[in-house]
Amino acid sequence: MVIAYWEIGEQIYKACGENDRAEYGKNLLKYLSDRLTAEFGKGFDESNLRRMRQFYMTYPIRDTLCHELSWSHYRILMKIADKSICKCMSTTIQES
């Protein structure tokens, strides 16, 4: 699911950039949320779609993602402001 969330985040970023505050961005997130929820069930509300976009913006190179980390791990890492600490924590998790 991590890769799927990254790809969704990439598509949202390409469609509306970093800012969803513009009318187009708000409408796009609402539309995507409705469609994805109807097709795949819960987990695709607007706030989660924003997190997916943030995920893509934080880790723009897909090959740098660690397959041992879950979506929950990445959500925690994205909250840490100091990216050097994130990298250290990510490496530690991979090694354990």
Side-chain angles (χ1 to χ4, degrees):
M1 285 308 287
V2 170
I3 298 298
Y5 290 162
W6 184 91
E7 290 177 350
I8 291 168
E10 177 187 31
Q11 294 304 312
I12 293 169
Y13 181 80
K14 287 179 178 179
C16 63
E18 294 180 27
N19 190 356
D20 64 348
R21 304 228 188 277
E23 196 61 35
Y24 173 76
K26 287 181 184 177
N27 292 337
L28 177 65
L29 288 177
K30 175 70 174 137
Y31 172 78
L32 288 174
S33 176
D34 292 345
R35 294 290 305 266
L36 291 169
T37 300
E39 188 167 343
F40 300 109
K42 64 182 181 176
F44 296 99
D45 58 38
E46 291 179 54
S47 64
N48 214 22
L49 293 178
R50 282 188 194 89
R51 285 187 198 101
M52 291 175 200
R53 182 186 53 217
Q54 179 190 6
F55 181 46
Y56 169 77
M57 290 173 10
T58 305
Y59 301 96
I61 302 171
R62 182 177 162 178
D63 292 338
T64 62
L65 298 177
C66 174
H67 297 288
E68 288 83 10
L69 299 180
S70 69
W71 176 238
S72 297
H73 290 121
Y74 278 111
R75 285 186 57 193
I76 292 167
L77 289 172
M78 286 188 296
K79 291 180 182 179
I80 301 171
D82 186 340
K83 296 306 171 195
S84 62
I85 293 173
C86 287
K87 187 173 182 175
C88 178
M89 290 178 69
S90 180
T91 302
T92 303
I93 292 169
Q94 288 176 7
E95 292 172 356
S96 55

